[in-house]
């Protein structure tokens, strides 16, 4: 009888321990907050679908590295056309915008930016290799230049035309275009120029046999940042802390070298 009582007591104790453990696990899981990251899926090197149909690229890898340092969050990705990411962020459908966002006064009014840039995203004019006339933005007057809707380069073209009513650039603002679409439009003369960064230019030159020329001086020099809603300062602060760890440890530079072919993180926060 005594043995039976001891057995029953042991089983009861074990049951309580297991139950407590399950509650503890449940509490730990419930304490992890899901964060929706809005990004793109057709920007080679940065955010694109790989051969398995999975998101890949520098933006994705940096976000995943940040997520690893923040156990209180679980990052999930949703893809949008570039111009719709900010709309989704404003509507509260996503928590972070991750698509090589550059800083400008209009965006600063509406969104929070990370304290640190994570990538040099200076933009350059690109023309066909045999085009020797274009050396600056002024040389695009009377010509057609493509830029993405909502992009910093699109804003630069619009500001140029506002400031130079008698020297207009035909600015064609489009949704996100693939490299193949841009190359085809440049070849057939639809566009005289477009804008890109050095890693993307190098990749395109490699894929298409060096048919383009990069104008030496950038039209904009800016790091890229992750952006947040104005009412989400805690998430921004947490991401800032993790991003600083990646910068200080050299891990961010390693990701850039692996994904972009060079360290595009040097000197951007000095």
């Amino acid at each position: 009888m005594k043995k039976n009582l001891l057995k029953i007591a042991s089983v009861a104790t074990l049951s309580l321990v297991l139950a407590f453990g399950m509650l503890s696990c449940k509490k730990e899981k419930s304490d992890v907050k899901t964060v929706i990251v809005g990004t793109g899926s057709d920007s080679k090197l940065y955010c694109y679908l790989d051969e398995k149909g999975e998101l890949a690229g520098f933006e994705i890898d940096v976000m995943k590295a940040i997520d690893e340092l923040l156990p209180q969050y679980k990052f999930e990705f949703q893809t949008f056309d570039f111009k719709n990411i900010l709309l989704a962020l404003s509507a509260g459908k996503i928590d972070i915008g991750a698509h090589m966002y550059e800083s400008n006064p209009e965006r600063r009014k509406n969104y929070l930016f990370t304290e640190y840039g994570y990538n040099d995203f200076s933009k350059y004019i690109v023309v066909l290799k045999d085009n020797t006339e274009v050396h600056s933005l002024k040389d695009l007057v009377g010509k057609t230049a493509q830029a993405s809707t909502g992009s910093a380069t699109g804003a630069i073209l619009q500001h140029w035309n506002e400031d130079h009513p008698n020297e207009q650039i035909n600015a064609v603002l489009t949704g996100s275009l693939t490299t193949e679409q841009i190359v085809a439009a440049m070849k057939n003369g639809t566009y005289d120029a477009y804008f890109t960064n050095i890693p993307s230019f190098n990749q395109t030159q490699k894929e298409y046999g060096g048919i383009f020329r990069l104008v030496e001086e950038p039209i904009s020099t800016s790091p890229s940042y992750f952006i947040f809603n104005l009412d989400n300062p805690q998430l921004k602060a947490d991401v800032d802390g993790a991003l600083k760890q990646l910068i200080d440890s050299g891990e961010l530079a390693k990701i850039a070298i692996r994904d972009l072919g060079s360290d595009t993180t040097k000197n951007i926060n000095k």
Side-chain angles (χ1 to χ4, degrees), residues 64-80:
K64 287 181 176 179
I66 290 172
D67 189 19
E68 285 290 322
L69 295 174
L70 299 175
Q72 68 270 41
Y73 298 117
K74 177 185 178 184
F75 287 6
E76 293 183 357
F77 296 93
Q78 289 186 12
T79 59
F80 300 83

Side-chain angles (χ1 to χ4, degrees), residues 109-129:
K109 290 178 185 176
N110 298 307
Y111 306 99
L112 298 175
F113 283 65
T114 45
E115 292 298 316
Y116 312 99
Y118 61 93
N119 176 45
D120 180 357
F121 209 62
S122 298
K123 291 293 188 66
Y124 297 78
I125 301 170
V126 178
V127 295
L128 289 172
K129 185 171 63 175

Side-chain angles (χ1 to χ4, degrees), residues 208-240:
Y208 291 91
I211 65 172
F212 294 116
R213 177 174 67 86
L214 190 80
V215 173
E216 294 81 4
E217 292 298 319
I219 64 165
S220 69
T221 55
S222 172
S224 48
Y225 302 86
F226 298 118
I227 58 176
F228 313 79
N229 274 320
L230 292 174
D231 60 358
N232 212 345
Q234 185 59 57
L235 176 60
K236 170 193 135 44
D238 292 337
V239 170
D240 277 335

Side-chain angles (χ1 to χ4, degrees), residues 31-44:
D31 286 345
V32 176
K33 181 179 179 181
T34 298
V35 170
I36 306 300
V37 180
T39 188
S41 61
D42 55 9
S43 293
K44 286 187 177 179

